Amino acid sequence: MARREAFLQAVFNGATEEFLHFIQLHKDAADLFDLNELLQELSRKQKEALWEKLKCLLTQALVDDPVEEWQRVGEECDDDMEIEGAPRKEQTTAVIQGVTTVVSFSIPTIDENINCKDLLECALILNGLLDALPVSEKSLAGAIQHLCEQWWQKDLEGKEPFGKTAFTLLLRNSFEKKSIVGADIIRLWQIHRALLCFDYDSEESNEVKDLLLRCFMSVSHIKKEEGRRFLSFLFTWNVNFIKMIHGTVKNQLQCFPRSLMTNIAEIYFRAWKKASGEILEVIEHNCIQDFMHHAIHLPRNSPLHPKTRELLSYFHKQNKCRQGVDEVLYRLYQPILWRALKARNSEVRSNAALLFVDAFPILDPHFNKEDTDNEIQRQFDELFALLEDPHPLVRSTGVLGVSKIAFKYWELIPATVLADLLKKLIEDLAFDTTSADVRCSVFKCLPIILDNVLSHPLLEQLLPALKYNLHDNSEKVRVAFVDMLLKIKSVKAAKFWKICPIEHLLTRLEIDSRPVSRRLVNLLFGSFLPVDQPEEVWCERCVTLIQMNPAAARKFYQYAYEYTSPANIAKLMLTIQSCVNACIQESLKVRDSEDEDSEKENTSMPNNVLSVDDIPSMGGLLEVVVILWRSIHKALDHNEGAKNHIVRKFASMLGEYFKTFKDDRCISPLLILASFMPPAAIPAFSCGVISKLRNLANGAPDEKYSTLIDCLCRWGKVGHILELIHDWMIVEPSTRESNGTSERRVRIQEMHESKPELALDYAEYLLTHHMNRDCLLSLPKEKLSQLLKVLQAAKVVLDSTIKGTSTRLPGFHQTTALRAFSLYCRLSIHLQYKFASEGQDYLSYLEETGAWIGNTVLPAFLTEEQEGSLDPLNETAQLVIQTYLTVCKDLIAVGLGDLEFQVHLLNMALVITCQDRGCVFIPVLLCILKEMVEASLVHHLDSSQQMAELLDNIQRMFQRILECLAIRLRTLREEGIQLIHSVQDPLREFIHVVQGSAATCPVIHHSVLSSLLAAIVVETGYMLQQKASNPEELTPPKTFSELPPLSCTLMGIVIKSTNVIRSFLNELMESLLNDEIEGIPSITSVVYIVALIKGKYKLSYIKDTASALQRKLTTYSEITKEDVSSTKRTLYEFALLALDEILRP
């Protein structure tokens, strides 16, 4: 009581210090003084007196130290004066803060009997201070803002200015923060009606408009419930503002995620629901109908199209639960939807169909029964029309629509209509031969109908007609068909094997791709691996599956691990092993019984019992074990106990398996099984693998040794294979000493049998299989270098063959030596890649090989050509060069050939093509040029001498290739045409790569196109001169096949790409401007080519080229004075006519 009196006395006496002291006590949580309690205890007169004195206190403080002067004084006064004025400013701020606090706590105590005139004046003074407060006084500004919100929410006298202030500040402050706080949005909603205090057309509202439109760009406002209420309320402010809102939303749709569309639609829907009069009309026609128009006319690939549809879908859903929605949808769709369904543009029809289906049925609730029935019938007719539309996209949309409508309204649609619709889907569109998309949509949409249980009886009758669709030639259709079968199985609509027989499913599983096969395994999984039944049943089903279709069984168990646990897979493996063991034991018992008494009852097994004599079944079971083990090997690696158990089980019987099964069908999976086990677990077998490999004869098929090599590689014993290769490639006597201690020892020499062909088979198998190659390259460098040296011996054989000397290695023939040479070069590349980081340069081996070819092989090859001899020695030289060039191409492709190596290689290639016989290497040389250009893109910033030399050699090489092709065509036309056909693919790839290098390697790009242009112009000009002798043959060109062979091929490649054509015409234009194309034959040939390009492409810059040609041709007008029979005059007149045709509009 004493404190209350003291507080009132302090205010009444204008004791500022005491007043501020009480304000500080209120803020102190430890003190019991509370202004809220104090004000509630005051009488009406005391409150009125307090508010009057507060006004005086505030007014006096502001007169003594005006807030407006704070900023000016801070800017004009020096530091000393600022220091002196600081305490006064702090006291004034404290007084304003204290008064604001008292006024804020006074507002809840106001009732209708209290005169709050003085309190209102205080609040107005504080409200007026907000714009003058410096930025540093954020706390004080926040308190005054809160006071304004309280005044508005209390609905007190004079609330309008407070509402406008609070509303503006809340909007402004929320966007000044890094992220919008949900509490600010709630506060904004609490005073949302303050917006109506603003005059829309006044200037003070401009800032509010901008801030409000920013709210529609804010995801935080759209996601929060109070935010959506606030945004929907904004539609009621002004009709013109609705248009601004809608424009802002449309501009932001591309930035918003699709998941936000439902929230945006809810904002529009709430605004529409509460609107009336002109505002309602604007929302319906300028907003909702505008979205409808965009949903129909936006391109299907536009990112806005699905968002607009999602937005309208919200309204369609409200149609079923909110009154009035169906009427407005019918009214707004009426002028645009039905017309769009008949539009000429198929995409518009499809978009309209999507909306029609989503909103179906679109009815006016004011229709009587007859009108309603007629309208529904009309809409069903539209559905049938969609299913018969000429465009596949519309038919696919119609299929989706029928499926959705049938699912939703099955019990309401007449049975005859349902039957007709489904028959149209299943008996007609499912077999649509013109579009795989339509067939696919049928099988994707039928599961929608299957979700309605009422559809199952009818579909069970109709679906068996689809069984052959499993064999559709489109993969996506087969995928959709199997997905439909999975849906049928899950909803238990029918037995899937009655729709598509098991035999069909297994046949498809055997041959189909991974996406289809995985789904088929999922479909059949419960039938052939029923995990809820005993494991013996699993094995029985496995045997049944193998006997029905062995290949399908292998594919089934290949993907089985995706649909069950590794533990179940391991159990199945062990169950199969037990089954095989039982068959072996039974077989042994039968044999023993036969030995004792052939007439005993158990001397034979019933035909229906599995036996070891059933090789297909036994082999199939062993293959399944291999496949299952491979599928869970990663899981086993993380579970040593389970892995060791499985290894022990199979290792204990492996020897018995090899004794029992002798057929290759069983041996192959047994060998693979052995490779999965450590060699120590199967010592009897592992010790004999190398012997098996050693005992094979030359020419043995790869299935005899491939699995054995895989075993050794998995066991880390690839070194033994290298020893075999070394022994068979280089036959040298090995000395073995007898045991003894005397100095006189017996020395025994063993000669290893020479099997170079088999050795190369082993080496090639190691290099061409990824896992084995990794094992090989993991060996020490010394062993790999030794293998390289062994293969290098092939060069000695080839060298002697080419020179005609008698040096031979035992067992080495020409073909064997060529294979060894190829492996030597390829191994050099692998070693260079493996050991380049260690400073070992294996590239030098290839460089030495190149030098050997240049010094020995190439001269022999070219000499033979000059003498006209075509004996086997020449063929050997050609094969050596071909092999080396192919390896070099691969070396450059993987980025291991440096600039120096590429320069040397091109120098050799230039020498090769200097003679006519070098034409045989043009295809591989073009591939090399392509790889070099691609490699140069990486080094395009390299301006070294070597890079310049390389680019120059590439240009020269390509020009030389074109010359070789032209010469071969002139000398041996038939062989030349065959050669051109053989170079088409590498030439196309080369030009494609050159076009891609236009920006990074303009020199190459310009030179290649220049060479192309020159070759085409020269050859075509020569042809036109021949035709000019008989003017009747000189007719305007129609197809590129009318060009000479080389030009036809080159232009056929050029016209495949618009970019290449553009570059080609740019090069042609540049050549014309630089006077590089001179003479009537050359100009006429260019006109001829441009006319052909115009017939293929309608490009604007073709006319620019034709105009330049016309100007060029006019410089030769004096030719018209020559004799009419002159060849040049004939060509000149032909070119003029062709240009007129090109330039004709």
Side-chain angles (χ1 to χ4, degrees), residues 59 141 164 183 343 511 624 647 655 707 735 793 856 866:
T59 304
K164 291 168 72 173
I511 63 176
V624 167
V647 167
T707 313
T735 302
T856 303
Q866 290 173 357

Side-chain angles (χ1 to χ4, degrees), residues 830-871:
H830 288 298
L831 296 182
Q832 172 68 19
Y833 178 77
K834 175 74 175 178
F835 298 109
S837 59
E838 300 178 13
Q840 185 72 32
D841 184 19
Y842 285 94
L843 193 61
S844 60
Y845 289 84
L846 281 179
E847 293 172 346
E848 292 172 5
T849 302
W852 168 68
I853 290 175
N855 297 330
T856 303
V857 182
L858 192 54
F861 174 75
L862 297 177
T863 301
E864 296 295 339
E865 192 277 333
Q866 290 173 357
E867 295 175 359
S869 175
L870 295 172
D871 60 14

Side-chain angles (χ1 to χ4, degrees), residues 70 79 104 214 347 371 415 440 475 513 530 840 1081:
W70 291 357
D79 293 342
S104 296
R214 286 183 66 183
E347 201 168 59
D371 291 340
C440 184
E475 182 188 74
S513 59
Q840 185 72 32

Side-chain angles (χ1 to χ4, degrees), residues 616-643:
S617 297
M618 289 290 105
L621 286 172
L622 294 173
E623 288 169 352
V624 167
V625 171
V626 169
I627 291 168
L628 294 174
W629 196 326
R630 186 175 284 147
S631 70
I632 62 167
H633 76 279
K634 291 183 179 178
L636 290 177
D637 290 341
H638 292 88
N639 191 336
E640 286 296 327
K643 183 176 181 179

Side-chain angles (χ1 to χ4, degrees), residues 400-628:
L400 175 65
V402 167
S403 303
K404 285 185 173 181
I405 291 169
F407 164 71
K408 288 182 182 178
Y409 306 107
W410 184 276
E411 61 273 24
L412 302 178
I413 300 174
T416 55
V417 175
L418 281 173
D420 290 343
L421 286 171
L422 292 184
K423 284 180 180 179
K424 183 67 177 176
L425 296 187
I426 294 172
E427 297 177 2
D428 187 1
L429 295 178
F431 300 93
D432 191 332
T433 56
T434 62
S435 173
D437 289 334
V438 175
R439 301 195 300 274
C440 184
S441 65
V442 171
F443 301 122
K444 281 186 174 180
C445 296
L446 281 175
I448 298 174
I449 304 176
L450 285 165
D451 281 327
N452 190 320
V453 180
L454 299 176
S455 68
H456 294 178
L458 179 58
L459 287 175
E460 190 173 7
Q461 299 174 23
L462 297 175
L463 289 176
L466 300 175
K467 65 180 178 181
Y468 294 111
N469 289 86
L470 178 66
H471 306 287
D472 196 287
N473 57 9
S474 171
E475 182 188 74
K476 63 182 179 182
V477 176
R478 299 195 301 274
V479 167
F481 182 82
V482 181
D483 283 338
M484 182 195 71
L485 293 179
L486 286 167
K487 182 69 175 181
I488 291 170
K489 179 183 175 183
S490 66
V491 299
K492 300 179 181 179
K495 305 296 184 184
F496 69 85
W497 57 84
K498 291 185 178 179
I499 295 168
C500 191
I502 293 292
E503 293 76 15
H504 287 245
L505 296 171
L506 293 180
T507 301
R508 204 70 239 174
L509 175 61
E510 173 188 353
I511 63 176
D512 220 323
S513 59
R514 176 180 170 84
V516 182
S517 297
R518 289 178 65 252
R519 287 168 170 82
L520 285 171
V521 170
N522 187 16
L523 181 69
L524 299 169
F525 191 81
S527 301
F528 292 105
L529 189 54
V531 293
D532 56 342
Q533 296 191 33
E535 292 154 21
E536 291 75 14
V537 178
W538 304 0
C539 189
E540 290 173 6
R541 301 286 176 89
C542 178
V543 173
T544 303
L545 181 55
I546 292 169
Q547 292 173 345
M548 290 177 70
N549 191 320
R554 291 193 290 271
K555 188 74 76 73
F556 177 85
Y557 290 106
Q558 180 182 344
Y559 297 114
Y561 76 96
E562 297 183 13
Y563 303 100
T564 189
S565 64
N568 284 337
I569 297 294
K571 289 177 184 177
L572 178 58
M573 289 167 55
L574 295 175
T575 304
I576 292 174
Q577 191 222 20
S578 300
C579 175
V580 174
N581 292 349
C583 289
I584 293 175
Q585 295 300 322
E586 189 65 31
S587 175
L588 293 175
K589 289 179 182 178
V590 169
R591 290 174 190 172
D592 293 341
S593 299
E594 286 177 348
D595 292 340
E596 294 174 5
D597 185 0
S598 60
E599 295 183 359
K600 287 186 179 180
E601 185 179 352
N602 61 350
T603 56
S604 61
M605 296 177 64
N607 291 332
N608 61 343
V609 177
L610 190 65
S611 80
V612 293
D613 297 326
D614 186 358
I615 297 301
S617 297
M618 289 290 105
L621 286 172
L622 294 173
E623 288 169 352
V624 167
V625 171
V626 169
I627 291 168
L628 294 174

Side-chain angles (χ1 to χ4, degrees), residues 242-243 246 281-291:
I242 297 175
K243 299 173 184 178
H246 187 59
E281 185 178 347
V282 171
I283 292 175
E284 288 182 351
H285 293 90
N286 290 49
C287 300
I288 301 174
Q289 198 171 56
D290 185 51
F291 281 131

